[in-house]
Amino acid sequence: MRNLPINQNLNLLIFLTLIPLLTIGCPGGGGGGGGAAFALMGLGGGGGGDVPAPKLEVLYEGVSRESGSTLDIGSEPVNTADGKTGTITIKNSGTAAITLSGSPNIVTLSGTDASQFSVTQPATSSLAAGASAIFTINFKPTGVAGTRSATIKMNSSDPAVGSFQLNLTGEAGVGVFRLGVSVSATQISSNGSFAMGSVEEQSVGTPVTFTVRNTGSFVVNLDSPAVTSSNARFIVNQTSFTGSLAIGQSKTFTIGFSPLVSGAEESNIAILYDGAASFLYKVTATATVKPVPTISISHNSSSFTTGGSIPNFGVVWPPEVAGAKTVTITNSGTATMTGISISKLGTDPDQFTVSAFSAGTSLAPGASGTFTIQFVPTLHGEKNAIVRVQTANGSNGSASSSDLAVVGTGRTGVDVLVTWSATNEKAVNDTDGGYNVCYSKTSNFTAVPIANSIFCVAVPNVGGNTPTSKTISVPSYGTWYFKVYSYGKYNTTGGLPSTQVSVVVPQS
């Protein structure tokens, strides 16, 4: 026999192997005889695919459970308020929808201790491919300690597991004292902790309400006091948290956080009952820096926040006004500054004017405003006053007050030299006679003094000397007219005056 190539040998082997698979003869029955042939799908040119089918899968604590297996739900003391609950997931791991049949309940409960177990029902009786539903099992034993058992069943359209069964077991323990502590939906475990959030320093936060429920097997008698806190900044209000708690009963108390300084703080909380028992946990909170306003006062880039003397206004002719000095108030803090006021006091407050503060009575954080001080003398001489700046909270949240000392001088006069020609009618050694130097801001005046209008000064001859000049101090600036009259023993009216005009400016 001729040897074939290796690939031809392989093809022949496959062909010979497939022959008995492709055609299977079956003997006929009765008079019919004839064999039935089963074609192997998916080979050669024929074709098809897997038929979609549902597949029921049951999981507890993430582990898949087989029908007929035993599910141990664990231990629970007898006569507790809530019992012990576990969650079971029903999942369709197949490729077609699955139906969970059963009426009125999809999941049924039976067995020796069925009354000490309970189940909730799945929310739906139909699961699409890949979908799932849950139900819960609750174990709440009564009586004496020992093992409890029951059975749960469910029917489905899974052709492989039409009826699914789990055998339940649980251990009933002796009765216990037990409390459950929560804030809204958040449960706090024994020796656990609860974060109360943040509160501004030097303020009182909104109290947090803690609910205590008796989840144990016996009545709980609360101690007095029933709640203690290891940190005085965590303030417990337990007015209504007194007396006893029946099984399943709840009562509340509150804890408020009132920090003095910023930073994290904590407190150990103990709920005390029946003389010796306790439920312990910790509360934590953070005190944040309290936003406060901070005043800053300045003039010409110099600080006057704590007060001080504003530079001298100098000499000013009444009733002129000195140049205004601008004072700036800034809120360099982090909260609004309020109650801003500016007032005058001291020796001569009426000789100064203070404008209104440009920002009103408050300043936002980082904002500034200004006011001006002017010297407006109506009197001669040095004048002093205090400008006081006050706020309700400018000293980092507390009231502030700063005094600005101001000073200016009202000018009393300027010396003007008045000269004239000698017109004496007597001998040089005659002491009788002399001159009247009269002056006024009115050009046409006579030598008759009028208060605050016409002024006259006598310049007598002394020792026979005839004076020809006199220094006069005028009381205000402006144009002054001077007239000099000579007089004598026999001519007291005097002769014709000599005249002089002098202009005195405010800066003289």
Side-chain angles (χ1 to χ4, degrees), residues 60-86:
Y60 180 74
E61 294 182 343
V63 179
S64 183
R65 309 287 171 156
E66 297 293 334
S67 178
S69 63
T70 297
L71 177 60
D72 187 355
I73 199 168
S75 63
E76 175 69 9
V78 296
N79 303 322
T80 60
D82 302 322
K84 185 174 184 178
T85 299

Side-chain angles (χ1 to χ4, degrees), residues 289-486:
V289 176
K290 183 178 181 179
V292 293
T294 303
I295 191 170
S296 174
I297 304 173
S298 63
H299 166 67
N300 284 349
S301 301
S302 296
S303 175
F304 289 87
T305 302
T306 58
S309 297
I310 297 293
N312 199 307
F313 280 92
V315 179
V316 178
W317 278 103
E320 285 297 310
V321 176
K325 295 183 183 294
T326 300
V327 178
T328 301
I329 301 176
T330 301
N331 179 5
S332 56
T334 54
T336 299
M337 186 161 60
T338 60
I340 301 171
S341 66
I342 303 168
S343 58
K344 295 183 300 178
L345 59 156
T347 307
D348 307 298
D350 60 330
Q351 300 294 290
F352 299 84
T353 62
V354 177
S355 70
F357 183 52
S358 64
T361 59
S362 64
L363 274 178
S368 298
T370 61
F371 68 92
T372 58
I373 307 173
Q374 286 185 298
F375 179 43
V376 288
T378 60
L379 302 171
H380 302 295
E382 184 178 277
K383 307 301 172 187
N384 296 271
I386 297 294
V387 177
R388 179 166 292 170
V389 179
Q390 294 176 292
T391 71
N393 58 358
S395 180
N396 298 319
S398 300
S400 69
S401 181
S402 301
D403 286 348
L404 310 180
V406 290
V407 61
T409 301
R411 188 149 195 172
T412 57
V414 171
D415 291 340
V416 178
L417 180 63
V418 181
T419 62
W420 60 88
S421 299
T423 58
N424 199 25
E425 61 184 49
K426 295 293 183 179
V428 294
N429 61 350
D430 193 335
T431 58
D432 178 49
Y435 302 90
N436 273 331
V437 180
C438 296
Y439 52 99
S440 174
K441 284 190 172 181
T442 302
S443 60
N444 297 320
F445 66 91
T446 59
V448 178
I450 299 176
N452 299 319
S453 176
I454 300 174
F455 307 89
C456 291
V457 177
V459 186
N461 294 326
V462 179
N465 295 321
T466 302
T468 58
S469 65
K470 176 67 176 176
T471 298
I472 300 297
S473 180
V474 295
S476 64
Y477 69 92
T479 301
W480 287 92
Y481 300 90
F482 297 87
K483 295 183 179 182
V484 181
Y485 297 85
S486 61

Side-chain angles (χ1 to χ4, degrees), residues 153 229 241 341 440 489:
K153 294 180 180 179
S229 169
F241 195 68
S341 66
S440 174
K489 180 177 181 180

